[in-house]
Amino acid sequence: MTPANNAPDVNRDLDAAYRWLVSWLVEDAWRLRRPADLVTAVCERLLAAGVPLSRFNAFIRVLHPNYFGFNHLWTRATGTTETRRGNHNMWESDQVQKSPIQAVMNEKDMIRCRLSEPGAEAMFQDYPVLREIRDEGATDYTM
């Protein structure tokens, strides 16, 4: 399933782009059988609608004695989605403790950082991964 070439541009008509994406999610996305395929298809549609996406993470938590869930990471560089299974010990790792996901989980609120603005340096101290994302060319980060 590739996105239609007639995707509304989010910069010209956000409401139309929103309706276009939601319509696809409701009417067609259910045909995709693997979560990674769904993530890839959503990202393709966001790009087709003009969203300057470079990375997209979808976390799915599960009730399992050994794993807390799955992370589906799509990157524009590859155009594919990589799936990783996370064990419960991962929550204690520096990778998670020093990332925005921990703050979002704890505070139940979103984080937005404009990576190219001078004030972003403070966020880089708390979340080193944001510097890496900025160095890859991203200008904005939302979780």
Side-chain angles (χ1 to χ4, degrees):
M1 288 186 177
T2 57
N5 293 336
N6 61 349
D9 188 324
V10 297
N11 298 301
R12 292 194 185 108
D13 190 346
L14 180 60
D15 289 337
Y18 175 79
R19 286 190 307 275
W20 175 77
L21 181 61
V22 169
S23 175
W24 173 79
L25 285 167
V26 171
E27 296 171 13
D28 297 315
W30 64 270
R31 291 181 175 93
L32 298 169
R33 298 289 181 217
R34 295 175 353 131
D37 294 340
L38 177 62
V39 169
T40 299
V42 167
C43 292
E44 289 171 350
R45 280 159 179 74
L46 290 171
L47 288 172
V51 176
L53 196 62
S54 62
R55 246 185 218 213
F56 184 96
N57 267 302
F59 301 99
I60 300 173
R61 295 185 76 174
V62 296
L63 292 174
H64 190 281
N66 299 323
Y67 306 106
F68 70 83
F70 297 89
N71 174 34
H72 303 283
L73 172 64
W74 175 91
T75 60
R76 188 176 193 161
T78 66
T80 60
T81 300
E82 179 183 334
T83 300
R84 295 182 188 159
R85 185 173 38 208
N87 64 39
H88 293 284
N89 297 333
M90 191 172 176
W91 289 114
E92 304 304 320
S93 71
D94 276 353
Q95 182 182 11
V96 173
Q97 292 296 315
K98 295 181 179 179
S99 76
I101 190 169
Q102 188 65 39
V104 169
M105 296 293 288
N106 289 343
E107 298 169 22
K108 309 285 190 265
D109 198 8
M110 68 174 279
I111 288 178
R112 182 172 188 193
C113 182
R114 296 181 189 272
L115 302 173
S116 58
E117 292 184 1
E121 289 297 322
M123 292 290 275
F124 298 155
Q125 297 299 319
D126 293 335
Y127 311 117
V129 70
L130 295 182
R131 183 185 311 276
E132 173 187 326
I133 292 169
R134 187 222 32 214
D135 291 348
E136 291 173 0
T139 58
D140 203 358
Y141 178 89
T142 305
M143 175 177 267

